[in-house]
Amino acid sequence: QLQLVESGGGLVQPGGSLRLSCAASGLALDYYAIGWFRQAPGKEREEVSCITGNNGDTYHYDNVKGRFTTSRDKAKNTVFLHMSSLQPEDTGVYYCAGRNIDPDGSYDCSKIYEYPYWGQGTQVTVSS
């Protein structure tokens, strides 16, 4: 079973930057896609970005496009979310989630609607 652990959250001032990590265990990155989600206080969970482990194709949703970047380190079985120009509305608990894929396949991860495996989340607070 794929296991995911998020880390890197914390308190940052508006306009600042932060990098989150999603460490995976159980199988190599080629065998799954990863989605980043967040949930702000009093709001529903929303997707932020996604990446395919085999080819590294990414998609960033409108709420963070141009400010956040998603990347991977296959040797470390880790996916990163680089966050810049952070604003108070970016505050929330950030989760990474995984879905198995065929390592020889080609995927648009924005079309993935089901993520069976989830991490525990890491808190990001943007405040002065």
Side-chain angles (χ1 to χ4, degrees), residues 34-100:
I34 291 290
W36 282 102
F37 298 78
R38 69 185 182 187
Q39 187 166 21
K43 298 182 179 179
E44 294 187 346
R45 186 176 61 235
E46 62 179 356
E47 190 166 1
V48 170
S49 69
C50 60
I51 185 169
T52 57
N54 58 350
N55 56 26
D57 290 341
T58 61
Y59 185 88
H60 296 83
Y61 291 84
D62 289 343
N63 49 10
V64 302
K65 190 175 183 179
R67 300 188 297 119
F68 292 10
T69 300
T70 307
S71 63
R72 77 203 199 282
D73 185 333
K74 297 180 70 174
K76 295 183 177 180
N77 257 24
T78 301
V79 171
F80 302 98
L81 183 66
H82 306 262
M83 306 184 294
S84 300
S85 301
L86 286 163
Q87 299 299 315
E89 55 264 35
D90 296 314
T91 293
V93 179
Y94 283 69
Y95 302 88
C96 63
R99 178 189 187 273
N100 297 102

Side-chain angles (χ1 to χ4, degrees), residues 2 4 32-35 96-100 114-118:
L2 178 66
L4 304 170
Y32 54 91
I34 291 290
C96 63
R99 178 189 187 273
N100 297 102
E114 182 180 359
Y115 285 96
Y117 306 103
W118 291 78

